Amino acid sequence: MTVESAPVADEAPDGWPLISVVTPVYDPPIAVLTEAIESVLAQTFGGWELLLIDDGSTDPKVRETLGSYAARDGRIRVIERASNGHIVAASNDGVDAARGEFLALLDHDDTLAPHALARNVKVIAEHEDIDYIYSDEDHIDEQGRYGHPFAKPIWSPERLRSQNYCCHLSVFRTALVRAVGRFREGFDGSQDHDLILRVSERSRRIVHIPEVLYHWREVTGSAAGDAEAKPYALEAGRRAVQEHLERVGIAGAAEIGGPGHLRIHRPLPGARRISLIIPTIGSSALVWGRERVLVVEAVRSALERTRHVDIEVVVVYDEPTPAPVLDELADIAGDRLLLVPFREPFNYSRKINFGVLASSGDRVVLLNDDTQVRTDDWLEDLVAPLEEPDVGMTGAKLFFSSNTVQHAGIACSRGFYIHPWATAPAGEPGNFAGLLINREVSGVTGACAALRREVFLEVGGLTENLPEAFNDVDFSYKLRTAGYRILALAQPELFHFETLSRESKLVKDWEYDYIRARWGYPVRDDYLPAYPNLPKTKAERDHERLERLKSSADLGEWWRTTSQLMGTPVGTGR
Amino acid sequence: MTQHDRVISNSSDPSTSASTNSAAATSGTQPRTVELHDDRILARHAELVAIDNVMGLEARVVELSNLLISARERARKLRERVEELESELAATRSSRTWKVGRAVTRPLSRLRG
């Protein structure tokens, strides 16, 4: 390895850290390489060094270009490798040579936003213990257009196990990267995912900057352009996550779920006693053209679709529940059935609270009676993540009877509490595969949620001040305030025949007032800052109104023109 | 909570006896029933509600504190703006242009009554 002689990099301004930008280079088109380097030179923060590691490029123009930039700016250093060692070896040469307190990774064909390093340095200055920073990114297509911005969640370890959502731009504390052993051979293509996992395990503080600071170029055959371009990378990612699970003590197996994402399968310990808490009034409804007693089918499918043995079915029923319904439940559940008669005015929260208090399981699953389980091992998948002490609640993916998504986590945005992908077709991946992976979310619906018993009691159960709507949103707020993570899981799936079991589920104004008074007005969801059904801002509503006015003005103009042509007097519309 | 904490009966309550007896006839098993008027369950429930109220009040305190902080910040900015405008007004009134203008317009305004 040869290190080209270069003047000492400019010192960072007093009190600011030096950032080493590490860029392995191997035969890129000169134009895009130039753009990448120019984007570093254009940084508004000057305390950086750029390490360009030429990984044995065969094109002599690459060497020439790198050399000319190194001669032009003393902060640019070129490291020439004697042979092509691939991405891991080249990146590690950069890590070894870095003089900066922090490392930023930049691919040879991508670009940084002009304020990328300035924003990172500002965050570093705010937190002395910061070890890892990631920010949002977008793509540059082959015509040079920017698109596909990825508004990333706050730190989301479960999501990171399913996909490398952090990716670009990643800024690491150099000492920590060296302490964890730098990039690892054998993980080519997912070497950054592997590094982020290992760094995150030992990080004191991780920060997300919610701004697009990195532009990822879509080139045919690149990961940005095609998630299936590098199958070996997905396998390397799977191994990286599997080893991570073992290091952090999670019993589970990482499996390839599809292009660009993994699935984590966790076993559920057989010793767990699980109580299904099902409130009901024993009502019937038409589902797929047939009359059914909702709670009966809910219990039947729940028990048929699991292999777990130690289950208790706690049915909290209102007085009008027909006796034959209870008989049928007894037939289905046998001695696993526990009946809790509820003789008060309807209060969903109160029914659930009493159901949990009457139950005996160390895990409780809140289950609406208007559900039907549609995947095998649903209970195992739903409950197993609760073995991790900081997971407070898990939720399943729910579908309407039309086979469109009803629920995949709750988002709290712009004053509303929303099911972000509602009505998306089954099989739809969601933006950035959000519907295919396990993710941290702001909340999950009480229609199907699993908890450890002690966690339910710790936060006071469901608030009985919200007897119908938003008690699950409030409960999710309480869990997060108590420091727990909430997971929306992709594997367990149920139908949720929402609105069939009760006549009206329209949320009332006082319910909005109550939850906003308790928890504040939600502005931007932590885990889904952008999603398909994001409520509109005032500016967006005004814009739409303006467009409507414009289109009606256009219609007016069209009508005037047509009227004149047809000889109809203006203003005598038919 | 354990099994011992609960009042478990085999349909001793008249309201459920018909159904459970019928179930027993068909399945041969007696569903257990838990009545909610048991003192121990009610005590646990009261504790649950109390925890919820405390958490809710704590959240409300945080929310109100945040509102107070932002209201104070708005008030501070408005006070600063008032001070800026007052000093701008004082500077205008003490300027020569203002004084000359006043000297010219004062007799006219007197004439207008």
Side-chain angles (χ1 to χ4, degrees):
Chain A
M1 186 175 74
T2 312
V3 178
E4 206 168 90
S5 175
V8 176
D10 288 351
E11 289 297 318
D14 280 348
W16 297 98
L18 178 71
I19 308 282
S20 297
V21 181
V22 174
T23 303
V25 179
Y26 180 71
D27 280 344
I30 299 302
V32 299
L33 174 64
T34 303
E35 270 190 60
I37 298 171
E38 289 289 345
S39 77
V40 179
L41 286 165
Q43 289 300 300
T44 55
F45 173 74
W48 52 262
E49 64 169 354
L50 174 59
L51 299 163
L52 296 161
I53 304 99
D54 183 8
D55 193 17
S57 295
T58 56
D59 182 354
K61 283 185 186 162
V62 170
R63 191 176 180 186
E64 195 181 302
T65 305
L66 300 182
S68 70
Y69 273 107
R72 179 176 141 191
D73 192 308
R75 295 171 296 180
I76 298 176
R77 285 195 287 156
V78 178
I79 299 168
E80 288 191 350
R81 291 185 51 81
S83 60
N84 177 246
H86 299 293
I87 185 77
V88 169
S91 300
N92 279 339
D93 285 350
V95 173
D96 291 342
R99 291 188 283 227
E101 196 180 338
F102 286 86
L103 290 172
L105 305 181
L106 170 66
D107 287 353
H108 65 190
D109 49 1
D110 300 338
T111 62
L112 295 179
H115 58 296
L117 298 185
R119 287 291 292 116
N120 275 275
V121 164
K122 186 170 180 292
V123 169
I124 291 166
E126 286 166 1
H127 306 287
E128 200 178 286
D129 56 350
I130 205 159
D131 284 326
Y132 174 57
I133 310 162
Y134 65 98
S135 45
D136 295 348
E137 66 195 48
D138 65 9
H139 288 189
I140 317 172
D141 69 12
E142 293 185 6
Q143 283 73 46
R145 293 171 300 202
Y146 295 97
H148 301 293
F150 185 6
K152 297 175 186 177
I154 61 168
W155 177 237
S156 185
E158 183 66 16
R159 183 166 194 155
L160 187 63
R161 291 175 193 129
S162 300
Q163 66 179 182
N164 180 13
Y165 80 92
C166 297
C167 206
H168 300 304
L169 171 70
S170 280
V171 173
F172 306 86
R173 185 178 290 279
T174 310
L176 184 54
V177 171
R178 288 175 180 153
V180 301
R182 311 174 302 162
F183 293 97
R184 290 198 298 173
E185 290 291 353
F187 290 89
D188 288 57
S190 285
Q191 75 285 344
D192 46 358
H193 193 183
D194 176 53
L195 181 66
I196 292 166
L197 286 165
R198 286 181 292 122
V199 163
S200 69
E201 291 160 21
R202 292 175 57 174
S203 286
R204 294 164 299 165
R205 183 189 291 274
I206 296 170
V207 172
H208 165 234
I209 301 174
E211 287 176 51
V212 172
L213 301 180
Y214 193 97
H215 309 297
W216 197 1
R217 193 176 303 275
E218 289 176 1
V219 180
T220 309
S222 78
D226 181 1
E228 292 180 85
K230 297 176 179 174
Y232 66 89
L234 198 52
E235 172 53 23
R238 189 202 63 75
R239 280 190 291 110
V241 171
Q242 185 62 54
E243 291 188 17
H244 157 78
L245 294 176
E246 287 158 16
R247 285 193 301 271
V248 299
I250 295 175
E255 299 161 357
I256 293 174
H261 72 272
L262 303 167
R263 197 166 38 221
I264 310 300
H265 177 73
R266 296 166 165 95
L268 173 64
R272 294 289 173 226
R273 180 165 175 77
I274 301 173
S275 297
L276 307 182
I277 314 295
I278 308 174
T280 190
I281 195 168
S283 58
S284 299
L286 270 182
V287 176
W288 297 313
R290 286 173 187 266
E291 182 87 1
R292 66 158 65 173
V293 180
L294 294 168
V295 66
V296 167
E297 292 311 314
V299 171
R300 192 196 312 274
S301 65
L303 295 178
E304 277 177 0
R305 294 282 202 154
T306 181
R307 284 177 288 179
H308 193 75
V309 177
D310 196 357
I311 298 174
E312 174 185 50
V313 181
V314 181
V315 174
V316 187
Y317 66 97
D318 291 290
E319 284 284 79
T321 302
V325 171
L326 301 177
D327 291 347
E328 203 166 355
L329 289 174
D331 281 345
I332 295 166
D335 60 5
R336 291 173 291 185
L337 182 64
L338 178 67
L339 294 173
V340 181
F342 188 82
R343 302 183 179 91
E344 298 176 22
F346 178 79
N347 185 320
Y348 174 84
S349 303
R350 199 168 165 82
K351 286 175 85 173
I352 289 287
N353 287 344
F354 274 119
V356 172
L357 290 175
S359 70
S360 60
D362 50 7
R363 302 286 183 266
V364 291
V365 174
L366 317 184
L367 189 65
N368 272 19
D369 68 349
D370 55 354
T371 57
Q372 178 183 320
V373 177
R374 59 183 244 166
T375 51
D376 289 331
D377 296 331
W378 74 285
L379 202 55
E380 291 85 337
D381 289 335
L382 184 70
V383 176
L386 297 171
E387 296 301 310
E388 289 156 54
D390 65 336
V391 174
M393 180 161 63
T394 58
K397 189 153 67 169
L398 306 181
F399 292 84
F400 289 115
S401 56
S402 59
N403 206 28
T404 55
V405 172
Q406 187 264 325
H407 171 84
I410 291 168
C412 310
S413 283
R414 298 177 182 178
F416 294 94
Y417 312 92
I418 280 184
H419 300 291
W421 278 290
T423 72
E428 164 82 31
N431 42 346
F432 302 96
L435 284 171
L436 303 179
I437 57 173
N438 295 347
R439 294 171 287 118
E440 277 80 5
V441 287
S442 293
V444 293
T445 176
C448 179
L451 302 109
R452 285 192 299 282
R453 173 184 204 79
E454 70 269 19
V455 171
F456 184 89
L457 301 177
E458 180 192 333
V459 299
L462 299 190
T463 185
E464 296 178 11
N465 300 326
L466 289 167
E468 287 188 63
F470 287 164
N471 37 50
D472 46 6
V473 176
D474 178 85
F475 188 69
S476 300
Y477 269 117
K478 288 198 289 186
L479 285 174
R480 290 186 62 203
T481 302
Y484 292 106
R485 291 185 290 134
I486 301 171
L487 305 184
L489 304 173
Q491 283 101 302
E493 295 182 358
L494 291 84
F495 285 109
H496 183 201
F497 311 112
E498 200 183 27
T499 72
L500 292 181
S501 54
R502 289 182 58 79
E503 281 184 7
S504 169
K505 288 214 170 177
L506 288 178
V507 181
K508 297 162 193 76
D509 286 347
W510 75 263
E511 289 167 322
Y512 275 106
D513 293 343
Y514 182 89
I515 199 155
R516 287 172 185 162
R518 242 189 185 192
W519 303 104
Y521 185 92
V523 177
R524 179 184 159 100
D525 190 75
D526 284 341
Y527 294 102
L528 281 175
Y531 53 87
N533 295 328
L534 190 66
K536 293 181 174 62
T537 60
K538 184 176 180 306
E540 286 166 344
R541 287 197 299 272
D542 289 348
H543 177 73
E544 278 187 2
R545 203 171 294 128
L546 193 66
E547 289 298 311
R548 276 202 304 275
L549 282 171
K550 271 166 63 183
S551 73
S552 62
D554 291 345
L555 199 64
E557 184 59 32
W558 170 84
W559 175 245
R560 265 191 295 279
T561 312
T562 309
S563 303
Q564 283 162 3
L565 287 172
M566 301 287 286
T568 313
V570 173
T572 59
R574 287 164 286 187
Chain B
M1 175 136 163
T2 66
Q3 293 263 5
H4 304 290
D5 294 321
R6 298 176 297 147
V7 176
I8 299 177
S9 64
N10 286 328
S11 303
S12 58
D13 183 78
S15 64
T16 58
S17 59
S19 63
T20 48
N21 286 343
S22 169
T26 54
S27 68
T29 56
Q30 286 279 23
R32 296 164 297 147
T33 302
V34 171
E35 289 297 336
L36 299 181
H37 49 67
D38 176 67
D39 284 346
R40 281 165 297 185
I41 284 193
L42 290 175
R44 295 245 176 182
H45 177 258
E47 188 185 348
L48 208 62
V49 171
I51 292 169
D52 173 63
N53 286 336
V54 169
M55 284 196 82
L57 288 170
E58 283 173 347
R60 185 86 182 111
V61 167
V62 171
E63 173 58 13
L64 289 172
S65 303
N66 291 338
L67 288 174
L68 185 63
I69 289 167
S70 58
R72 281 185 174 146
E73 183 61 17
R74 276 201 308 278
R76 186 186 64 76
K77 284 181 178 165
L78 287 170
R79 270 197 301 274
E80 282 175 7
R81 184 71 184 132
V82 167
E83 282 168 15
E84 274 173 26
L85 291 171
E86 279 176 349
S87 59
E88 200 178 318
L89 190 62
T92 304
R93 283 188 167 149
S94 62
S95 71
R96 185 178 296 170
T97 313
W98 173 269
K99 286 173 184 164
V100 170
R102 287 291 290 166
V104 172
T105 57
R106 189 170 293 139
L108 291 173
S109 60
R110 277 184 190 156
L111 280 175
R112 280 198 205 108

